[in-house]
Amino acid sequence: MTDERNNAGELTVRLVRADEVAWYNALMKEHHSLGVAASGRVLRYVAEAGGVPLVLGTFGSAAWRLPVRDQHVGWDDGQRAARLERVCANQRLCVLPAAAAVRHAGSRALGAMLRALPADYLAAFGVRLMAAESFTDPAAHAGTVYAACNFTPVGSTAGYGRSRGRDYYAYHGQPKTCWLYELAPGGIAALAAGFDAPVLAGRRAPDFNRLRVSGERGLLEYLAQVTDHRKPKGRRHDLAAILVVVVVARLCGADSVHAAAQFAATMPQEALRRCGIRYNTRLGRHVPPSHKTIKRTIRAIDAGAADTQMCAWLRAEAAAGRLNWRHIAIDGKTVRGAVRPDGTQPHLLAAYDVTAGTVLGQAGVEAKTNEITCFVPLLHAILDSPRARSDGDGDSDSDSEEAEAEAEAEAEELVIVTADALHTQAGHVEAMNKLRVSWILDLKDNQPGLYALADAHPWDDEPVLHATAEVGHGRHEIRTIRVTSQVPGGITRRFPGTGQMMLIERYRHPVRGSEATAACRAAGDDPGMAGCAAGAKISCETVLALTALTPAQAGPELLLARNRGHRGIENGLHLRRDTTYAEDASRLRAGGAPRLFAAIASTAVSVLNRAGLTNHAAARRDLAWDRTGLQALGLLGL
């Protein structure tokens, strides 16, 4: 039972109890010209002042087919059938004679009923309402009460009413004004969305309406660029459609070919249509790809080309809402579960946009080489060679103007590339300078001469410019940074463009117990850890690093944050692929299957990050519980 009070007149709104229905119906029959009639899932409200009933309100199921409402909402027949229960009808609103003593009793009572309705309806019927509708007779009154409560008039009905006789609808010749009210922010738009929006579930969930899969520059269009190795004769499914089905299956928790085929077999017709699966006219339905079809496809596919196209799609999606700077971390990972006949394992070098949580590109590292040879081509792929737009018949001048605008936007954007010490190479720095991107690179013993030059700087004379402190996960950790613009000539000759040198120190000691935790938090960012590390072993790690960022571009706080942010590729991508997507436990070995599944896992990680979901295991469980797969398709924008 819900109460709603208003100090001006002490108007109270509550649900009618089961033992009061007869009394309620008697009042409604006596004072409402249309009588008591109510249909569907019914809730009855009464507004009272001092125990005296003033306004009666009956809410029930919405009209099944209503052209003016359906046109305003913009949903099709399938969406209406699936989501009509999310709309409730105000079937009766009766203002009793006693309401004349209370100012604006009708609108105040209806507003209070609308505020209480979503929670009461959910508790009674388990349905989360998005909108409420009602009807008024323009010949009788103008609907002032509904207008005062922010209902929107969406048009007039055709003058038909439901009948239980031979004709399902009977013409009565009295058109009514249809009113619509949104009960949840974005509720009406969610009713007509291609995929279930999070507001329908009432919790934070993937919104599949955000990304483009079909249509221009959608995932299907990108994957259509991958050459299909199969012979045209007997081909039933497009290669792009099969790959999208596997992507959706992986988003929903399928970590093997067999699981992906099982999931595809359970997908409804609407989901298969959105994935690009063809309609079989002989069977009269969309037929999903079988286990054997998926298995043969991923074994013989050009996994590198598919990976390239998926990353190109992700880059296009990540471009929306771009910050004026972005951090790209580059690191490699071995697919340990896949062992080739010669004993080697696939190794992928990934470029990960830490700021957007998106994989921008991946390059396969051949068995007889290493990551160093793949670094520069990967950078060119993601920064220097974006996927070309489709040629059209548009004005060439407008195309050139658009290209110039994009070039100006890219020039204003600050791109920071980070990599581990393996990639502190003169050739890499030269390539990044030509691409006009900034970089932060660590110096370690793989460059002993340069490391000695940087270490010889009088760091003790440089003050600590910024420090951070964290207590958690059983340890107290403090990071400090010292920065200098006095870079030795030996370093600038080897790495032209070096603007600053950094010394980062990391102090750490274990913490056990609430009292020790409180003491560590009180100590803050004191590197000496005085008062919190008595008797504890303090470890210290020092890192020397170089950057092309000038003091005007990046202060000590940003440099320290970006140095630590490089771990984002490990925690945000590689660790998730190992644990949540069970990559190292997979036994896929044949052909390009390991590379393809790794690429699809990277795509899934990027999609969930773009949706703002940090717990990928929980998000995949949420998607897997939706056996239709439509939620996953919505996240992809299909």
Side-chain angles (χ1 to χ4, degrees), residues 563-575:
N563 179 267
R564 188 184 183 191
H566 180 71
R567 293 288 300 175
I569 188 172
E570 183 64 35
N571 297 330
L573 177 64
H574 294 162
L575 183 63

Side-chain angles (χ1 to χ4, degrees), residues 84-382:
L84 184 63
E85 66 174 359
R86 306 301 189 112
V87 181
C88 181
N90 175 219
Q91 297 176 344
R92 294 289 185 270
L93 184 68
C94 180
V95 181
L96 301 176
V102 179
R103 185 176 176 84
H104 304 308
S107 59
R108 288 168 53 199
L110 179 57
M113 293 174 188
L114 292 171
R115 288 190 291 273
L117 179 62
D120 292 339
Y121 205 87
L122 179 63
F125 307 113
V127 175
R128 195 174 301 276
L129 292 177
M130 297 292 106
E133 67 182 19
S134 191
F135 304 90
T136 59
D137 186 350
H141 55 85
T144 306
V145 171
Y146 292 103
C149 290
N150 293 322
F151 273 76
T152 301
V154 298
S156 298
T157 65
Y160 287 84
R162 293 186 65 177
S163 172
R164 295 186 180 182
R166 178 181 300 178
D167 296 326
Y168 194 69
Y169 286 91
Y171 182 71
H172 53 66
Q174 296 178 331
K176 306 291 176 58
T177 301
C178 177
W179 301 80
L180 204 60
Y181 179 83
E182 191 173 67
L183 290 170
I188 292 179
L191 293 174
F195 308 93
D196 285 349
V199 68
L200 295 176
R203 64 182 185 275
R204 190 179 184 190
D207 186 358
F208 296 118
N209 298 288
R210 296 178 58 182
L211 300 179
R212 290 172 293 179
V213 173
S214 56
E216 184 181 1
R217 297 180 66 79
L219 181 57
L220 280 169
E221 179 184 318
Y222 277 85
L223 290 176
Q225 307 301 315
V226 181
T227 303
D228 196 340
H229 59 280
R230 300 171 298 167
K231 295 180 180 179
K233 184 177 181 180
R235 188 188 300 172
R236 296 182 180 178
H237 303 288
D238 291 337
L239 179 63
I242 296 174
L243 293 178
V244 170
V245 167
V246 178
V247 170
V248 173
R250 292 224 71 184
L251 274 169
C252 295
D255 290 328
S256 67
V257 176
H258 184 72
Q262 282 184 313
F263 187 88
T266 65
M267 293 175 70
Q269 291 294 292
E270 175 66 10
L272 293 172
R273 182 189 68 79
R274 293 176 182 179
C275 285
I277 298 298
R278 293 176 181 173
Y279 185 80
N280 189 310
T281 55
R282 181 176 62 85
L283 298 177
R285 60 189 179 91
H286 298 272
V287 180
S290 65
H291 173 257
K292 289 186 177 179
T293 298
I294 296 176
K295 185 176 180 179
R296 286 195 298 263
T297 300
I298 67 170
R299 278 187 174 183
I301 193 174
D302 184 351
D307 192 353
T308 298
Q309 293 302 326
M310 282 187 277
C311 289
W313 174 72
L314 289 171
R315 289 199 299 275
E317 291 297 320
R322 169 64 58 201
L323 302 172
N324 59 359
W325 64 273
R326 57 174 167 157
H327 177 186
I328 300 175
I330 298 180
D331 196 15
K333 181 186 182 301
T334 300
V335 183
R336 301 190 183 280
V339 182
R340 301 186 180 109
D342 58 359
T344 61
Q345 298 165 305
H347 188 87
L348 301 176
L349 183 66
Y352 181 73
D353 189 336
V354 178
T355 48
T358 299
V359 179
L360 302 179
Q362 288 189 136
V365 180
E366 298 297 333
K368 295 183 179 180
T369 182
N370 56 36
E371 294 180 11
I372 295 176
T373 59
C374 300
F375 185 92
V376 174
L378 178 60
L379 271 183
H380 279 283
I382 64 174

Side-chain angles (χ1 to χ4, degrees), residues 464 467 478-480 482 505 507-508 523-530 538:
V464 174
I478 295 172
R479 293 178 174 84
T480 66
R482 306 169 193 255
E505 296 173 307
Y507 301 90
R508 177 185 306 172
D525 56 8
D526 176 20
M529 297 183 172
I538 301 177

